[in-house]
């Protein structure tokens, strides 16, 4: 696969993941800001930690999907 295509497809997956987590499942940007900013600078560290954990979860999920060659979430979840 050429490098340009790989980058484009990776970006599409990343945007889909962020849209699903932030837009549909987690909260709006305003709610996130209000929740974490109550704690000042410690809230920024909390927001960074949550961002890292969501990225780690998404990465491990993608590895699991690739390893099991699943085509739907129903095949991955017991």
């Amino acid at each position: 696969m050429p490098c340009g295509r790989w980058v484009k497809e990776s970006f599409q997956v990343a945007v889909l993941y962020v849209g699903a987590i932030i837009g549909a499942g987690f909260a709006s940007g305003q709610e996130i800001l209000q929740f974490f900013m109550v704690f000042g600078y410690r809230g920024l560290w909390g927001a960074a930690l949550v961002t890292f954990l969501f990225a780690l979860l998404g990465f491990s999920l993608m590895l699991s999907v690739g390893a099991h060659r699943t085509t739907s979430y129903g095949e991955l979840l017991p």
Side-chain angles (χ1 to χ4, degrees):
M1 178 182 310
C3 182
R5 183 175 174 199
W6 181 85
V7 170
K8 180 181 177 185
E9 290 178 359
S10 297
F11 181 73
Q12 288 173 340
V13 170
V15 169
L16 177 71
Y17 183 70
V18 168
I21 295 297
I22 303 267
F26 188 55
S28 72
Q30 185 65 31
E31 290 168 329
I32 293 169
L33 180 67
Q34 289 175 357
F35 179 80
F36 286 108
M37 290 303 106
V38 168
F39 301 103
Y41 283 108
R42 290 184 359 207
L44 287 175
W45 285 107
L49 177 64
V50 168
T51 300
F52 173 75
L53 291 175
F54 272 129
L56 184 64
L57 176 66
F59 181 71
S60 63
L61 182 64
M62 294 303 290
L63 287 178
S64 181
V65 165
H68 293 98
R69 302 248 185 236
T70 59
T71 57
S72 72
Y73 70 90
E75 296 173 13
L76 187 63
L77 301 175

